[in-house]
Amino acid sequence: MSKNEQIQALSEERLNLASQLEQGDYKVIKCAEAQSVGAEMPYDAVALHAQRQATRDRINEIEDELARLAEEPDDEEVAPIVEE
């Protein structure tokens, strides 16, 4: 897989994970709302937090990998020809 393909795949994964977090935000809001009025939690807050943290951890890993790839020379770069 080329560097550009790796960057594309990682970027897509990051976008998908960020979207998953956004789509689950309502669960966090519902838990906060329930807690604020002393009602029963509609979701398992501990499991919800663990799942969301794992997603955030993976996003951080992807961002680290993207930064590393950005520092690497491009696949298309060719070493200069040295004439003797």
Side-chain angles (χ1 to χ4, degrees):
M1 180 180 286
S2 74
K3 177 181 169 180
N4 288 337
E5 290 171 334
Q6 289 175 340
I7 289 171
Q8 181 66 31
L10 288 168
S11 296
E12 287 178 23
E13 182 181 359
R14 189 201 176 286
L15 285 174
N16 289 334
L17 292 171
S19 177
Q20 287 175 17
L21 282 176
E22 288 177 17
Q23 290 173 6
D25 283 350
Y26 77 93
K27 291 180 180 180
V28 174
I29 293 167
K30 291 198 60 85
C31 285
E33 193 175 68
Q35 184 179 24
S36 71
V37 296
E40 184 177 332
M41 291 284 188
Y43 302 98
D44 179 349
V46 173
L48 181 60
H49 171 71
Q51 178 187 30
R52 291 173 62 84
Q53 187 59 52
T55 301
R56 286 189 290 270
D57 290 345
R58 177 62 185 143
I59 289 171
N60 290 336
E61 290 171 3
I62 290 169
E63 289 173 347
D64 289 345
E65 181 68 10
L66 287 170
R68 186 189 64 75
L69 286 169
E71 293 174 0
E72 287 183 359
D74 289 338
D75 293 341
E76 293 80 27
E77 289 185 20
V78 177
I81 298 173
V82 178
E83 294 184 24
E84 295 181 27

